[in-house]
Amino acid sequence: MTLRQTSLLLPLFLSASAALATTPPKPNASDIAASLLSIKIDGMQDLPISGLKMVKTGAQTVFISNNGRFAFYGGKLMDVWTQQEIKDLPDIDKIANRIDLSRMKLNVDDLGPVTVGHGKESVLVFIDPRCPYCGKVMKDLQTLQDKYTFKLVMVPILGAESQNIVVQLACQLGSADVKTKESVRERLLKQDYAGLPTEQPTQCNKEPLQKTIVTAKLFGLQGVPFLIAPDGRTHSGAPEALADWLANKPNAVSVSAATATEPTKVEKKP
């Protein structure tokens, strides 16, 4: 199974226990979405429509988006991730254009993030350690640590050098030594990677990095930085004013974003 296929099927199997034991005569939106998380796929075929697949499950037919998030089922358009029905145009911005992490079966800490700040509201930021626009975000967020907790998740999209840096830092981040973890945090915030080994670590749990790659595919990342605000709004690129964007103020435009230059591969742990 390819990573692309994995990213499609992942949301369908994240929580089999979410399916209802019995089906009421008129199920509500969350019940339908929950049942879609545990369907048995008998067949799947790409449609001549960009981003849409036809899935056969028993006698039922479901039309589902490539990343598995949206499904047209029983006359309803469902956001499977958040278990909500999309009924009207305002729902596109309120539901479909956001990633509500609180409703997803995703523990951000499983991605091996570097945590910066101690505020009540959490912000998820995907970064490449060599990306200059990510550097701007990391500089800007340091003045917002009292209000937000930033979870920095490393994705090596800028080639082999980035991949080596991410693997080295991720392995060090898995250490039980507090000073080692703090060193990773400081290196990342300053984008100072001098002296890092170039050889692959012999002892390292790469599972968080593997989960990160799958999650990045699932979210459809095309570049970094990629931010998810506490209210679920997403942003690709470095906001000109990070504080304004997080506060949902108008005209908080993007500076730019770095995009992948070559495919990223992650070695499986022995």
Side-chain angles (χ1 to χ4, degrees):
M1 179 177 290
T2 66
L3 185 58
R4 183 172 180 272
Q5 290 171 321
T6 301
S7 67
L8 169 64
L9 298 178
L10 184 63
L12 298 178
F13 297 104
L14 278 175
S15 179
S17 61
L20 299 180
T22 59
T23 304
K26 293 183 179 181
N28 58 35
S30 62
D31 292 340
I32 294 174
S35 68
L36 287 170
L37 288 170
S38 59
I39 63 173
K40 178 180 180 296
I41 296 177
D42 297 321
M44 183 185 303
Q45 180 65 47
D46 286 320
L47 293 172
I49 304 172
S50 178
L52 196 64
K53 290 182 181 292
M54 180 177 179
V55 177
K56 194 71 175 177
T57 169
Q60 300 293 327
T61 298
V62 181
F63 295 94
I64 194 163
S65 62
N66 278 343
N67 66 350
R69 178 172 184 180
F70 302 106
F72 188 77
Y73 178 79
K76 297 179 182 291
L77 178 60
M78 309 300 305
D79 181 342
V80 180
W81 291 1
T82 63
Q83 301 186 20
Q84 297 179 89
E85 182 181 1
I86 299 172
K87 298 179 180 179
D88 209 343
L89 292 178
D91 292 340
I92 300 297
D93 179 64
K94 181 181 177 182
I95 300 174
N97 287 341
R98 304 188 182 212
I99 298 177
D100 188 347
L101 296 173
S102 66
R103 286 177 170 266
M104 296 182 66
K105 305 295 182 180
L106 173 66
N107 184 352
V108 173
D109 288 335
D110 288 343
L111 307 181
V114 172
T115 301
V116 181
H118 47 268
K120 292 183 178 180
E121 296 185 295
S122 183
V123 183
L124 180 59
V125 187
F126 289 89
I127 60 171
D128 182 290
R130 297 193 302 124
C131 159
Y133 310 112
C134 301
K136 178 188 181 328
V137 171
M138 289 190 288
K139 179 181 178 181
D140 293 346
L141 65 79
Q142 294 185 51
T143 62
L144 303 172
Q145 296 185 51
D146 290 336
K147 186 172 183 179
Y148 301 99
T149 295
F150 295 90
K151 299 284 187 175
L152 307 180
V153 177
M154 296 179 286
V155 185
I157 72 168
L158 295 180
E161 186 176 347
S162 288
Q163 180 174 333
N164 179 65
I165 293 171
V166 169
V167 170
Q168 298 294 342
L169 293 183
C171 291
Q172 292 180 20
L173 198 61
S175 169
D177 183 65
V178 176
K179 290 185 178 180
T180 300
K181 292 184 177 182
E182 182 62 24
S183 174
V184 171
R185 180 178 176 276
E186 291 302 314
R187 278 185 178 275
L188 195 61
L189 292 177
K190 296 178 181 179
Q191 293 189 304
D192 179 9
Y193 312 115
L196 279 178
T198 56
E199 300 81 12
Q200 289 286 313
T202 55
Q203 298 293 328
C204 179
N205 177 18
K206 296 191 178 72
E207 185 176 351
L209 184 52
Q210 293 164 2
K211 289 182 178 180
T212 294
I213 299 301
V214 173
T215 303
K217 289 284 187 180
L218 193 66
F219 288 169
L221 263 68
Q222 299 298 317
V224 288
F226 181 80
L227 299 85
I228 303 178
D231 61 2
R233 286 177 297 112
T234 64
H235 189 90
S236 183
E240 185 171 335
L242 179 60
D244 288 350
W245 179 76
L246 288 171
N248 202 16
K249 293 182 179 180
N251 303 320
V253 297
S254 171
V255 174
S256 194
T259 55
T261 56
E262 61 183 83
T264 298
K265 297 180 181 179
V266 180
E267 293 183 358
K268 294 183 178 180
K269 62 180 181 179

